[in-house]
Amino acid sequence: MNKFQTLLYYCYSHIANAEQFADDHLKFCKSIGLVGRIIVADEGLNGTVSGTKEACDAYMAAINADERFAKTEFKIDDVEEPSFIKMHCRYKSEIVHSGLRDPNIIDPNKQTGKHLEPVEFQKMIDQEDVIILDVRSNYEHNLGRFKNAITLDIENFREFPDKINELAQYKDKKVLTYCTGGIKCEKASALLLHHGFNDVYQLHGGIIKYGKEAGGEDFEGKCYVFDSRIAVDVNSVNPSVVSTCYNCGKITPKMINCANPECNEHVTQCDECGDELQGCCSVPCTTNPRKRKYDGTGYYVKVPQPVNVSAK
């Protein structure tokens, strides 16, 4: 029996004096023994935290007891060990970086696509008048995605608004959006509605909830997660592997962060290439004097990096 849990959650709800809240919330999380990463913004919370079942129960109870976050839903995974090493809680301008900060245009508390529960989503995905839209970044959908999903060539969700014109051909379709846990779809679906898409939906709870409640059927590959697990299984009905090694092209379900901290690229990489390149994405990265030690996982604790002036 696993002694630890990992919680994935978000909640769009206005937080007064959010910067102070972030400081206080960090102290609270540490006091109950949690590790993880939480983003706090004026518009709400977005977090993944991990700890003992008792600590996770205490955290969920505290969040749901606060009337601002009473509607928060948690995706709960049992894990063999905590999914983080440290606890971070930071104030930022958005809980998911999109550039859509004007609540007069996009406000998930007022308008989003119609929420579909996993079983409802499962029933709709094969209909002829439906398109399935993955709103995640390249490295995420390269690792795994729904069968026949439309994917976007974006490195970060903040690039999504620039892709709206490419999707205009689907305005007469039912557009089913999905992401890891649902948070990106709240703004993505709202933006589609703002640009004249009439029939927009979103997978409530995202890929993670779909795996738990619908068996993950027709999700091909693995799901990228933002913790030490890196990738998790979703499909227990008709699983497959769709990702290929960035270096040699061989089928592999494994993803890493490049061991060169000045690169830190997310790539799918087989074990053989990982060993040969010492966890780096390319030969040049293996020569970086600050290269991190590769332990076979491809996950590294984030540490502050010097600003790359030449990149700026």
Side-chain angles (χ1 to χ4, degrees):
M1 180 177 173
N2 294 320
K3 296 186 293 184
F4 301 99
Q5 292 182 331
T6 295
L7 311 177
L8 173 68
Y9 72 97
Y10 71 89
C11 182
Y12 281 99
S13 180
H14 179 70
I15 303 175
N17 197 8
E19 195 164 0
Q20 181 61 52
F21 177 90
D23 290 340
D24 295 340
H25 200 62
L26 175 61
K27 293 174 185 174
F28 168 68
C29 291
K30 287 183 174 180
S31 75
I32 61 174
L34 288 181
V35 291
R37 188 179 301 125
I38 300 172
I39 298 172
V40 178
D42 297 345
E43 65 183 6
L45 296 173
N46 175 18
T48 306
V49 296
S50 193
T52 64
K53 183 180 184 305
E54 291 75 18
C56 288
D57 284 344
Y59 185 75
M60 289 188 286
I63 290 294
N64 289 142
D66 189 319
E67 62 181 11
R68 295 171 295 182
F69 316 127
K71 63 182 180 182
T72 304
E73 294 186 10
F74 292 89
K75 273 74 76 176
I76 306 171
D77 280 335
D78 292 321
V79 293
E80 294 182 1
E81 58 185 24
S83 301
F84 296 88
I85 295 175
K86 298 180 179 180
M87 184 69 230
H88 299 282
C89 185
R90 297 189 173 98
Y91 173 77
K92 295 189 177 183
S93 58
E94 297 179 90
I95 55 176
V96 60
H97 190 9
S98 68
L100 304 172
R101 301 174 188 171
D102 187 348
N104 295 315
I105 298 176
I106 302 298
D107 185 349
N109 287 308
K110 293 181 179 178
Q111 185 182 45
T112 66
K114 305 178 190 78
H115 286 215
L116 291 175
E117 294 302 322
V119 173
E120 296 174 308
F121 184 90
Q122 186 179 35
K123 291 178 180 177
M124 288 184 66
I125 56 178
D126 288 325
Q127 295 179 11
E128 290 187 5
D129 60 342
V130 162
I131 66 140
I132 308 163
L133 178 62
D134 191 321
V135 304
R136 300 173 302 154
S137 304
N138 288 335
Y139 64 89
E140 296 175 88
H141 61 67
N142 284 342
L143 182 64
R145 55 199 174 266
F146 276 102
K147 180 183 70 176
N148 299 326
I150 292 170
T151 58
L152 302 173
D153 182 14
I154 57 177
E155 296 299 323
N156 190 288
F157 183 58
R158 64 175 173 269
E159 299 173 25
F160 176 79
D162 296 332
K163 297 294 181 178
I164 292 294
N165 289 338
E166 295 181 16
L167 300 170
Q169 60 186 303
Y170 304 115
K171 281 190 175 182
D172 62 342
K173 301 283 189 180
K174 294 177 181 175
V175 181
L176 276 56
T177 66
Y178 74 88
C179 60
T180 307
I183 186 172
K184 293 177 181 177
C185 289
E186 300 282 8
K187 287 193 173 181
S189 66
L191 187 64
L192 289 169
L193 290 168
H194 178 72
H195 282 275
F197 291 75
N198 296 315
D199 215 358
V200 182
Y201 302 79
Q202 65 187 78
L203 174 56
H204 183 210
I207 299 164
I208 300 301
K209 187 175 182 181
Y210 185 83
K212 295 179 183 300
E213 297 186 8
E217 185 174 9
D218 290 333
F219 186 84
E220 301 174 331
K222 291 196 171 191
C223 180
Y224 181 87
V225 290
F226 299 84
D227 59 59
S228 63
R229 296 171 296 169
I230 303 179
V232 297
D233 291 322
V234 173
N235 191 330
S236 59
V237 179
N238 54 349
S240 61
V241 179
V242 295
S243 49
T244 58
C245 179
Y246 175 80
N247 303 104
C248 71
K250 183 168 65 177
I251 291 289
T252 179
K254 185 177 180 180
M255 175 166 273
I256 66 160
N257 281 106
C258 179
N260 173 7
E262 293 173 14
C263 172
N264 206 45
E265 192 72 34
H266 301 81
V267 296
T268 46
Q269 186 180 71
C270 69
D271 286 327
E272 290 80 4
C273 288
D275 291 339
E276 181 180 345
L277 294 170
Q278 304 162 56
C280 292
C281 69
S282 63
V283 172
C285 280
T286 64
T287 64
N288 189 290
R290 298 179 58 244
K291 183 179 70 67
R292 298 169 291 201
K293 184 178 179 180
Y294 179 58
D295 65 359
T297 66
Y299 175 79
Y300 307 96
V301 178
K302 286 189 175 182
V303 295
Q305 302 297 333
V307 175
N308 187 340
V309 178
S310 61
K312 292 182 70 176

